Amino acid sequence: MAAPHALVVGGTGMLAGCVRGLVARGWRVSVLARRASAFALREPDVVGWDCNYNDTDAFVATLNRARDGEGPIALAVGWFHTLGPAPMLTTRTGAPAASGRFFHVLGSAMADPAHPERLDQAARAAKDAAFCAYRQVVLGFVTEGTGARWLTNDEISAGVLKAIDEDAPLSTIGVTEPWSARPASL
């Protein structure tokens, strides 16, 4: 039996460690990113699909090619700067014979207590997903002494892998409270 197929959107940067972790766990991994093919040259167990998710038609075509070429998407991880691409991924994750899971990695602004509606807005990505369980992973920050810092790429990747293991509807990497303690913008 072939290993299950995991697809990671944006897996060449902060989620590169997550990609490597999925490979180490026995997943067949596809990465969609602007320079995914260059990343895959350095990661022989990864299939790279070059794509810019801001080009909707190209993104959908690439998702379809990845699914058709590597098999049904049992696990998807996506980091997007906007919410727009998420529904295109949720509707292509899972299959009638085996449902899938989509872990939507979201920036810390989703935890802003002044905007409690943001997580619900993001969850609408899964409203048309017949075979996909939708999960949210919110990126927080780390408090140290009297200050705070943003998460490192390694912390983010480890946190996403932990969220996959725990399979909770909502996971937070780091902390988001107190909101006033978050670091200054990058």
Side-chain angles (χ1 to χ4, degrees), residues 67 71-74 90-101 130-132:
R67 183 188 58 200
I73 301 166
T90 58
T91 57
R92 287 163 179 79
T93 300
S99 28
R101 298 179 297 155
F131 309 109
C132 178

Side-chain angles (χ1 to χ4, degrees), residues 4-6 25 38 47 54 58 71 73 82 87 92 116 118 126 139 144 150 154 159 172 179 183:
H5 180 206
R25 293 172 175 202
V47 177
N54 290 313
I73 301 166
T82 66
R92 287 163 179 79
R118 288 182 176 167
L139 304 179
E144 296 178 323
W150 295 113
D154 287 342
T172 301
W179 184 250

Side-chain angles (χ1 to χ4, degrees), residues 73-99:
I73 301 166
L75 174 69
V77 177
W79 160 249
F80 312 104
H81 291 284
T82 66
L83 297 178
M88 294 172 260
L89 186 51
T90 58
T91 57
R92 287 163 179 79
T93 300
S99 28

Side-chain angles (χ1 to χ4, degrees), residues 118-154:
R118 288 182 176 167
L119 288 174
D120 289 336
Q121 287 172 339
R124 289 191 200 121
K127 71 179 177 61
D128 295 324
F131 309 109
C132 178
Y134 177 78
R135 307 291 187 241
Q136 295 177 321
V137 182
V138 176
L139 304 179
F141 51 90
V142 176
T143 57
E144 296 178 323
T146 60
R149 64 169 175 81
W150 295 113
L151 298 163
T152 66
N153 289 353
D154 287 342

Side-chain angles (χ1 to χ4, degrees), residues 12-185:
T12 62
M14 71 180 196
L15 292 174
C18 177
V19 169
R20 292 179 190 106
L22 290 170
V23 168
R25 293 172 175 202
W27 289 87
R28 246 180 26 261
V29 182
S30 294
V31 172
L32 270 68
R34 282 173 286 179
R35 292 175 290 283
S37 59
F39 177 79
L41 288 174
R42 297 184 309 275
E43 303 290 334
D45 295 321
V46 174
V47 177
W49 300 88
D50 293 339
C51 182
N52 180 345
Y53 66 74
N54 290 313
D55 180 339
T56 301
D57 293 338
F59 183 64
V60 168
T62 305
L63 280 174
N64 291 339
R65 280 195 310 275
R67 183 188 58 200
D68 295 346
E70 298 302 314
I73 301 166
L75 174 69
V77 177
W79 160 249
F80 312 104
H81 291 284
T82 66
L83 297 178
M88 294 172 260
L89 186 51
T90 58
T91 57
R92 287 163 179 79
T93 300
S99 28
R101 298 179 297 155
F102 170 46
F103 288 82
H104 194 177
V105 181
L106 301 161
S108 63
M110 291 294 182
D112 183 345
H115 297 282
E117 76 286 356
R118 288 182 176 167
L119 288 174
D120 289 336
Q121 287 172 339
R124 289 191 200 121
K127 71 179 177 61
D128 295 324
F131 309 109
C132 178
Y134 177 78
R135 307 291 187 241
Q136 295 177 321
V137 182
V138 176
L139 304 179
F141 51 90
V142 176
T143 57
E144 296 178 323
T146 60
R149 64 169 175 81
W150 295 113
L151 298 163
T152 66
N153 289 353
D154 287 342
E155 290 168 335
I156 291 168
S157 287
V160 171
L161 290 168
K162 181 179 178 189
I164 291 167
D165 290 343
E166 294 177 353
D167 199 31
L170 175 64
S171 301
T172 301
I173 304 172
V175 299
T176 58
E177 295 178 1
W179 184 250
S180 60
R182 73 191 182 287
S185 294

